[in-house]
Amino acid sequence: MTTSATEADTPAPAAEAKTFPYARTCPFTPPAEYAEMIGKDVSQVTLTGSGLRIWTVTGYQTIKTLLTDPRVSASRKHANFPFYFIAPPEYRTETSFIGYDGKEHSSTRRKAALTFTNRQVQRLRPRIEEIVDDHLDKLLALQPPADFHRVFSLAVPMTVICELLGIPQDQHDFFIKHGTALLGGHSSTEERQAAIVEVNAYIRELIQLKRREPGEDLLSRAMADYAESGEEYTDRDLFNMVRLLMNGGHETTASQISLGTACLLENPDQLELLLNDPSLVKPAVEELVRYATIGDTAVPRVALADIEIGGQVIRKGDGILCLGLAANRDPEVFPEPEKLDITRGSRKHLGFGHGVHHCIGADLARLELEIVWSKLFQRVPTLKLAKPFLEIPRKEGAVIYGLWELPVVW
């Protein structure tokens, strides 16, 4: 990459830009339009919701390089940040380390990072196993068919993240509802605005409670860390961190549980491998994260300088989307990338991002998925879909791709 640019590199007229995002013909197949985009590596599109004209990047190595390039910013405050909709003010000003750069990012991220180290996460294994078993009990107590996504996929990670943050169990439905409004893809700007306001109000009250009655939870520890270090902070810093961890800690894992479970049911040869050799669960997690790539369009950036990629110049101030699904199907990195192979086990995928913004909860998500797919098919060996997979409604256009439901029988 270089910073050189010429007038000949000026982007094509807006009329030539395509409308984005594109629908997947199958949840595990990149949109047909990606074929041409992959050939170019860099393409220009127009976002459907906001009308903003941005760049998409598809190459595996190009994305990895961009995500470590100091000329690329994650800050939501830039005018051309690639939101999918006309963003209300809160989306530009209310953010946490996922939308910070440099020292601001590292300082804020550090407050949560100790909770999500691999050592700390592994200590949660017994409790997560209890949570998974408890929700499998609830599933099996129902008369099939049942909505696996609602009863199990949403409930398990929500319980885990609420316990980590010190949020009472009776608030789970509140956060599931508002998480869907923020990330589901069907909400209006007004609905998103209302969800932000209501979530912020709840978290402000939670912060006051933890200030009066601190506990053994991430929020209490973060406030204690701020007090001990003498760093200046506001309640806004705290509730932005909590909101980020709530959204990232349940919506993403819930979508991965449902999509991954459906994928195994649709690929009985791979499921049989897992059943015959339970030690394959860890490589299976990596392969299912790669194969589904639920965060395909969840890595937005803004160029801080002119950046040349393959003869095309992304101008300073332009929005960028790094398309993980395209990168995770790069045949030079993943042989036969269109094939699900749970023995592959490669951790090279970009399912958890890359660089300083690599998902802080990646180890927690891996552990939850490992426990889910270890226990699910042992306890419910006759599990199957209640309708053809392609008839199940999908979250097209959502920030986090997934299923609206997953009807199953057993």
Side-chain angles (χ1 to χ4, degrees):
M1 297 183 187
T2 68
T3 55
S4 62
T6 65
E7 289 299 317
D9 296 313
T10 301
E16 296 181 18
K18 295 181 179 180
T19 302
F20 190 87
Y22 306 125
R24 304 187 191 189
T25 54
C26 166
F28 308 112
T29 303
E33 294 87 347
Y34 276 28
E36 180 181 351
M37 296 164 69
I38 289 171
K40 296 179 180 178
D41 200 10
V42 180
S43 303
Q44 196 167 43
V45 299
T46 298
L47 294 178
T48 302
S50 65
L52 187 66
R53 197 168 166 224
I54 66 156
W55 298 95
T56 58
V57 183
T58 55
Y60 177 89
Q61 193 55 54
T62 304
I63 289 176
K64 288 190 69 176
T65 302
L66 268 181
L67 294 180
T68 56
D69 192 327
R71 297 172 298 170
V72 176
S73 171
S75 175
R76 272 69 174 151
K77 297 179 182 180
H78 294 291
N80 287 332
F81 188 85
F83 292 104
Y84 296 114
F85 50 89
I86 300 172
E90 283 79 357
Y91 262 77
R92 296 197 178 279
T93 60
E94 306 292 351
T95 190
S96 188
F97 50 85
I98 194 175
Y100 293 159
D101 298 324
K103 290 182 179 179
E104 186 179 24
H105 168 265
S106 58
S107 175
T108 309
R109 182 183 175 108
R110 189 169 58 247
K111 298 296 182 294
L114 288 178
T115 298
F116 296 100
T117 63
N118 186 261
R119 176 177 294 182
Q120 288 297 108
V121 164
Q122 290 303 322
R123 291 176 179 174
L124 299 174
R125 180 183 289 272
R127 177 57 187 144
I128 296 174
E129 289 178 343
E130 289 179 359
I131 291 170
V132 169
D133 277 328
D134 178 53
H135 286 90
L136 284 175
D137 289 343
K138 292 177 180 178
L139 175 70
L140 292 171
L142 299 174
Q143 182 68 33
D147 183 357
F148 181 84
H149 183 68
R150 180 183 62 82
V151 174
F152 185 85
S153 300
L154 284 168
V156 167
M158 177 59 75
T159 302
V160 172
I161 196 65
C162 280
E163 288 191 3
L164 285 176
L165 292 171
I167 294 173
Q169 287 195 21
D170 61 6
Q171 297 300 317
H172 291 193
D173 287 345
F174 172 85
F175 281 101
I176 288 174
K177 171 187 173 184
H178 288 83
T180 299
L182 292 171
L183 302 173
H186 288 173
S187 305
S188 66
T189 298
E190 292 74 21
E191 288 170 330
R192 290 186 174 95
Q193 176 93 18
I196 293 170
V197 171
E198 290 179 26
V199 170
N200 285 355
Y202 174 85
I203 295 175
R204 284 192 186 95
E205 292 181 6
L206 180 67
I207 289 168
Q208 295 306 317
L209 172 63
K210 296 299 179 181
R211 188 168 281 132
R212 296 191 305 269
E213 303 173 21
E216 296 298 319
D217 54 78
L218 187 154
L219 179 55
S220 296
R221 288 195 297 272
M223 287 192 283
D225 187 35
Y226 273 121
E228 184 177 342
S229 67
E231 290 181 65
E232 293 185 6
Y233 76 99
T234 65
D235 284 359
R236 171 182 284 183
D237 296 320
L238 292 172
F239 74 64
N240 286 339
M241 179 179 70
V242 172
R243 195 180 68 192
L244 169 64
L245 295 174
M246 282 299 304
N247 289 338
H250 89 273
E251 183 74 19
T252 53
T253 308
S255 291
Q256 189 67 59
I257 290 172
S258 287
L259 271 176
T261 298
C263 186
L264 288 169
L265 292 173
E266 287 290 284
N267 290 270
D269 61 322
Q270 298 298 300
L271 179 54
E272 184 177 2
L273 284 176
L274 181 59
L275 290 172
N276 291 337
D277 184 359
S279 69
L280 286 174
V281 69
K282 288 187 177 181
V285 167
E286 302 303 329
E287 177 69 347
L288 289 164
V289 169
R290 177 197 74 86
Y291 197 65
T293 312
I294 58 172
D296 177 33
T297 57
V299 186
R301 295 292 187 267
V302 172
L304 299 179
D306 288 356
I307 301 173
E308 182 180 336
I309 303 175
Q312 180 63 69
V313 173
I314 297 175
R315 300 292 186 183
K316 177 181 179 180
D318 284 353
I320 304 168
L321 272 179
C322 298
L323 302 183
L325 181 57
N328 283 341
R329 297 301 176 94
D330 189 331
E332 294 186 5
V333 182
F334 307 101
E336 296 185 280
E338 72 290 345
K339 179 182 178 181
L340 178 71
D341 178 5
I342 66 167
T343 67
R344 189 194 308 266
S346 174
R347 290 176 65 128
K348 292 181 179 179
H349 64 78
L350 302 182
F352 293 114
H354 181 69
V356 296
H357 286 90
H358 180 270
C359 176
I360 194 172
D363 285 333
L364 177 60
R366 284 183 166 108
L367 180 60
E368 290 181 65
L369 295 171
E370 175 190 336
I371 293 171
V372 164
W373 290 322
S374 292
K375 288 181 172 288
L376 173 61
F377 296 107
Q378 290 176 359
R379 293 197 54 190
V380 199
T382 58
L383 189 74
K384 60 182 180 180
L385 299 181
K387 65 165 69 172
F389 183 45
L390 292 182
E391 293 181 11
I392 296 173
R394 307 190 293 269
K395 294 184 178 181
E396 299 292 353
V399 177
I400 301 300
Y401 189 80
L403 306 173
W404 286 111
E405 61 181 47
L406 186 61
V408 295
V409 295
W410 58 92

